[in-house]
Every structure is written in C-alpha cells, then in structure tokens.
Amino acid sequence: MVGQPIPRGEDPRLLRGEGRFLDDMGHDALAIAIVRSPHAHARITAIDADDALDVDGLIAIYTHDDLPAKLQAPLPLLIPHPALTHVRTQHVLANGEVNHVGEAVVCVVARDRYAAEDAVERIRVEYELLPTVVGLDEAIAATHAVHDEIPSNVAAEMTQEIGDPDATIAAAPHSLTLHLDIERSASTPLETRGVHAHHDRDARRLLVHSSTQAPTSVRAAIASLLELPFGDVEVAAPDVGGGFGVKIMHPWPEELLVPWAAMQLGQDVKFTEDRREHFISANHERGQVHDVRVAFDDDGRILGLTVDFVHDHGAYIPYGLIVPIITSTQLLGPYRMTDYRVTFRSVFTNTVPVSPYRGAGRPQGCFVMERTMDAIARELGLDRTEVRSNNFIQPDEFPYEFGLTFQDGRAYTYDSGDFPASLAKLTELVGWDDFPRLKEEAAAEGRMIGIGLATYVEGTGVGPYEGGHVLVEPTGKVQVATGLGTQGQGHETVFAQIVADQLGVAFEDIEVVTGDSRRLQYSVGTFASRAAVMAGNAIHLAALEVREKALRIAADALECDPRDLELVDGRAQVLGSPDAGLPMSVIATMANPLRYAFSDAAKVATQFSGASDPDAPPVADGDRPGLEAHGYYSPVRSTFANGMHAVIVEIDPDTSDIEVLRYAVVHDCGKLLNPRIVAGQVHGGVAQGIGGALYEHMAYDEAGQLLNASFMDFLMPYATEVPTVEIDHLETPSPLNPLGIKGAGEAGVIPGSAAIAAAIEDAIGIVITAMPISPSELHHLRQDHAAGTPDRASAPTTSTPDGSTSS
C-alpha cells in the first residue's frame, strides 16, 4: 500500500461533522477568561477586582501573586543555546510589567465564559506607560529598551562561517549588495488554542486535553511546573483544527492555569481562545531584514557570500534561536557554497513573541537566496534558470556537507537530491522556454504578465526521536499509536499504510491513535516536517517486530520454517499453499498464553490445548506476551527534502491588482508514502505561500497596537485567489532511514514569496526587495519608479574589483 494514492481514511468522519475538537469538550466545565494588557509596554501599578466580585457565577480571580512559587517564575526557555546570552521569557501572569499588547495579567474563573467575560470587564488595571520599541529599526537603534536589563535589545548574536568570504568577494570579477525585507505574519489556524482539565482527587490523576502539536511535551511541562509525578499526569490532543507551528509552542500560560485551577477548585476547567486573543497573544513569525554581499564569476557562479540579518523575536524569546538558525543555514538552498559567512542578531520588540510558523525561517532564507540569484542573472544578462543550474550541487556530490551547524545541533549535510532533474521537470511543467512568446503576445494586448521561479531545500525529520506502538488484537484488528499529534496531515492514513504492508492486514482493520500520552508516553511533537520521517519509521520498526513474531508463532504451529510463510489478507500462510495457514486473530491469541478462556477462539492459548512445549516456559526468555511491539526511531541527523516552484502572474496596468495565473511545483521528499496526501500538503502550503506573499501582514502602529487583529482586516487568500496547483514529483530516497523518506509538510509555503516576487518583477520591470506586497503598495512602487524616486524598488548596488560602484 505504501506509494499508493489512497484516500484519507480520517476524512469521512470529519466531513460528517463527527470531529471532536477542544471546544466540543467540557460544556459543564468552569470557564477561564483572561484580562490582557491593552498596552505594548507598561508597569502595572494597581489591580482592582472589587467590582468583579458581584458578578453572578464568579468562582475565582487570580493574579501573579496568587500563584504558587513555581508558577510565579518566568516560563522555561525551551531550547537553550550558547549564543543566546540575554534571555527573557514571559510569566504565567504578568509580574509588574507588560511587554506586548495581549499579555496575560489576570485570570478569571467563572461558571461559564459569559460570566467570566463580565468579570474581566469589571477588573481595573492601572498602568504607567513606558516607551515602546516597534520594528527592527527601533530595536537596533536602542533609543529605548524593551527590558531595562538589556539596553541593546539584542538577545543573541551568532555567526557561522566557512572559507574566507571577504577575501573572495574582494578578488571577484563581479559583486552585488542587496537589502531585503520580509515582514511579520502568523499561523492563524482555523481553530484557536484551547485547554480542558479534569482532576480526579481520589485517584490523584490529572487528565488534560490541549489543542497542541506536542501533547507529551505539554505533559512534561505540566508535571514539572505543577510539581506532580509524571505518572499522575496525562495529556491528549483531541482533533486539532490546524496548527502550522503556533501550537508547537508550550507551555502556554493557559496550559498551566487551567489544570492548576482545576486542582484548586475540584472541578473541570476549560479555556478557549477567541480570535482577537489569538492575534494578540498567540505567537507570530517571519519578520527579518537582510543585507547581502555576493561575488560571482562571468557565468553567475557564486564565489563568496555574506549575509547579515536582524530577526524580530518579539517581547520574549521562549523558543530560543531556532528560527534564525534555520534561516541562516537553509538560505543556501540547493547551491554549492565554499566561502560564506552569516551573522544574525535576534532582537526584542514590544510585539507578540515569535516561534516557528510553517516554513520556520526557511521562507525568509529562500527569499534572500532566490532574489540574489535573480539579481545575478539580471546583472549578467543570463537566463535565471542558467544561473541556478551553474550553481547546483550535482547528484554525485551527495552527501554534501557545508561545514555549518543546523537547528538539530548536527552537521548541515544534505543526504540526497537531483537538482538539475528537478529544474528540468519544472521548466517543462510551467512552459518556461515558451513564456517569452506568451509575454510578447500579452503585451500586444496591453496585458502585463511575468514568470518567476524559486528553489529551496528543507531540513526535515529533526530528532531527537519518535516512537510507535503496534498491537494485533485477538480479533485480528490492529491498533497503532504514536505520541505526536496530528492537525490534518493524514497521519492516520499513512501510518496505516505502513503497517498494512508489513502485516498483510486490510487497511480498514487498522486503527491509528495519535497524540495521547495514555497510549504512548514518550514522544517529541509534530513540527519541522518530521511526523512521517520520525513516527513513520518508528511505526515501521514496530511493525517489523510484530511481523517477525507473527511468522515465528505461525511457523511453530504449522511446523514449518518462518521463511516459508507470508502474511497476506490477514493470514500467515505457506508460500504456494494458501490453504495451509492461520488467521492473524489466532496468531494474536496464541501470542498470549492464557489460564482462562473467555471465548472458543481463546481455547487455543490455554494450558491444556497442547499448543505449547511442556518443557519450555509458556513465555520464552526475552519474549513478552501479546502480539505487539514498540519501536523508536532516532536519526543521526536531519533529512533534506527539496523542491522548485514556478509562478505566472498578471498585473492590472491600472489598479496594480496581482493575479496568480499558474503555479507549478516539483517536489522531492524521497520515497512517496501517499502521493495524494503529499499533493494535499503541497496545495495547502502553496495557498499559505500566496497568502504570505500578497495578503498576510501583521500591521503594528508605533504604539505597538496590532491594527488588523481580525479576519475583517487580516487578509488571507480565498479559493478564488489560489489557482490549480500543477505538481510533479521526483523521488530520491534518503539513505538515512529505513523507509527512504523525507518530510513534506512545509514544502509548499517556503518559496512562495520568492517566486511571486520574481514573477511580479518580470511583469513590471521593477526590482522587488520586500514582501509581502499589496496592490496599493505595488501601485505606489510603480508611480515612484516612473518618477525616478527610490523606494522598495531600489536596484542592488554593483561593485567591481577596482572599487567603483553603480546602481
């Protein structure tokens, strides 16, 4: 079944409205609402809750001082790094100061959300306003500080270098400098965050449901910070209506407040975030400015490259430096590089904190590298595909090690790929060579069309490990569990395909459970396009162990060699003699020696059945009862998927409206487990990439107020804005894991801004150096260009070895 485009097995239930999401739970639970800061930077001088005490249904009001000592401390820094020298993380509830609009200040518990919101409105918080720092320019200028103890606003500065880029650039025949900008955006999943907790005081057990991408990690955080034995805490993710990275962040304040309140009050407690709260309280991403120097020869081959960029991580830095580290390494894409230096500064601003959003630093890096490639092509008068081809790592150069360190702390080494073949597929798919004729014909009709392309490499399957459990029931049906959660990726289908192939059982007889610590306690989470690589291989290893045991038990019963058996149609049968065999149900029953039989089928496993050797223990040394196994997969380093996108756009000459006419994708994620699901992942990613290029932008004013914190104002593409995505696949299996697979979850979004910027530039003949771009911005850009006014269309600066420059 692996490799077949099987329809997703989970979809019928969801399409019938039978999904069970967080807010479908706990209708009788007490509800939490949060008083959030209306200011981007202020000291809290007083909190007056007296008027709220009269609200009917009020249960409790908590401020920072009401929390236990461990919850009064700042929340953990999830991923420490030696370069991260100035750390600030938020408190569960603000401790005397707020640093972004939306920060949690007071927690209210009431009979229902209506009463809780009424109480929130009556609580008066007095603030002393402080200067705000909004935007990268203000952060670097450091006229004001987000945190008094960090006057520079710089949390970290990090450099990675290979070769001698300065000397190479100085001696090169050609060089360019570019200034490139990607603005802030956010995940905005359909379902916001939510938490429900039930505490059984008699059993001293805490069960928490959270709309999270990392249920077992949330479990560890709750147990640690509430000072509970790990065995007394269970966390499960119900159906999750989208994550895209924002729900990998943990623990959110509410993931601690809800279970703590449930324990204090002896009742179930629930929190469901509303949409405005999500905009101003749930983490954002993107937000970087890059300065590039690149040197190249007459064929456009890059000789040396330096990149200095600033990363906006917002008011706090709970997720460490993962996003800028990914940018700084993944920027290199599919290109050879011998002389390279990248330096980034990660800075505080009085805005919502940042953690990974689908793509996680890669869209910024891809934008920078691909804009650089297009600038080189323009400078030399070469076709953009030729410049890329001249820089590609070749198929016989894998594994290709750069000499850098990736986000997993391991060597930045590509495992497999065939970039020339991918480009050949893409140019044929989109009709690259024929496009000049189409553009000329369109121009004759007064139409402005352009074509762009962008390439990328995506680190996937990040460690440290993932687990899987496979159990064959006495009915012959199979239970599969993994600890990482699912948010719509099709895990139930793909994992069932893997198990079906190994055990020879029907796809319909396999049930997959994800994201429940009661079923699998050790896990990491769903992020970095890792679920198929990590959990898929863990489940594969568990299924192999179950397969081996099933064949061994059947061979003993049938008195034959296990190598003479096959597992097919839910049976172990002798090769060439399908009538000689045993159903998987009987094998599963025999795998568990019984004293008591509760059915006729179970008699075969009891002590007087004659099925076992009377001179051997019923459970052999080193064996375990049951037809089941746990598998864990832990890779040496990440796998690296890759792909290339091409897009054709049309610009309205009068309004500067931007329409995407065609979008073509060639994608290589190693061996395809399910082409239909991979296509779906690419489709969704492309939609988000178009959104990031043309619509989505977090608009802050100088006071740190988010001006478009609603779906009335924060724009996203509809189906009408996303064309039919044309897809072709290349399969270069990874040598790093048994299944030969690489991740696919983020691929569609990574090159969107780069490819669309290139297409717009090709259509209008004006250099695009910042994204996203709206029709109004493009219109002003065209007006400024016509008037000769430099704007975001400023051309790159060209320099030659003699030191002269030109624009």
Side-chain angles (χ1 to χ4, degrees), residues 252-268:
W252 294 102
E254 298 85 359
E255 285 175 323
L256 299 171
L257 288 169
V258 168
W260 178 75
M263 295 175 65
Q264 297 301 304
L265 301 172
Q267 297 186 61
D268 289 9

Side-chain angles (χ1 to χ4, degrees), residues 386-474:
E386 181 181 352
V387 170
R388 287 168 170 83
S389 294
N390 290 341
N391 283 280
F392 280 154
I393 298 164
Q394 297 301 304
D396 61 0
E397 295 182 88
F398 291 99
Y400 189 91
E401 183 171 348
F402 285 95
L404 303 171
T405 301
F406 192 43
Q407 63 149 320
D408 55 3
R410 304 300 176 96
Y412 185 55
T413 303
Y414 293 170
D415 49 334
S416 68
D418 189 339
F419 306 136
S422 291
L423 183 60
K425 279 179 171 284
L426 182 71
T427 54
E428 181 179 357
L429 185 63
V430 77
W432 182 272
D433 293 338
D434 192 47
F435 185 76
R437 179 185 62 80
L438 298 178
K439 185 175 182 180
E440 186 177 342
E441 292 174 357
E445 300 170 357
R447 297 169 57 218
M448 301 166 62
I449 65 172
I451 192 169
L453 83 159
T455 72
Y456 65 93
V457 174
E458 178 198 359
T460 73
V462 177
Y465 74 91
E466 209 58 67
H469 177 237
V470 177
L471 165 69
V472 182
E473 299 272 9

Side-chain angles (χ1 to χ4, degrees), residues 398-400 406 408 410-417 458-464 532-534 536-538 540-541 632-641 669-671 732-743:
F398 291 99
Y400 189 91
F406 192 43
D408 55 3
R410 304 300 176 96
Y412 185 55
T413 303
Y414 293 170
D415 49 334
S416 68
E458 178 198 359
T460 73
V462 177
V533 177
M534 301 299 297
N537 277 288
H540 172 73
L541 295 173
Y632 287 92
Y633 173 67
S634 181
V636 174
R637 60 179 183 272
S638 300
T639 61
F640 286 86
C669 60
K671 186 175 180 179
T732 60
S734 172
L736 299 182
N737 61 75
L739 291 173
I741 59 177
K742 301 179 275 192

Side-chain angles (χ1 to χ4, degrees), residues 615-635:
D615 296 322
V619 179
D621 292 343
D623 205 352
R624 291 170 294 180
L627 190 53
E628 65 175 322
H630 285 85
Y632 287 92
Y633 173 67
S634 181

Side-chain angles (χ1 to χ4, degrees), residues 116-139:
E117 293 286 359
D118 287 346
V120 162
E121 290 182 0
R122 296 189 183 194
I123 294 173
R124 300 289 175 260
V125 182
E126 295 181 11
Y127 298 92
E128 176 190 338
L129 297 186
L130 299 171
T132 58
V133 178
V134 180
L136 289 168
D137 289 342
E138 287 194 16

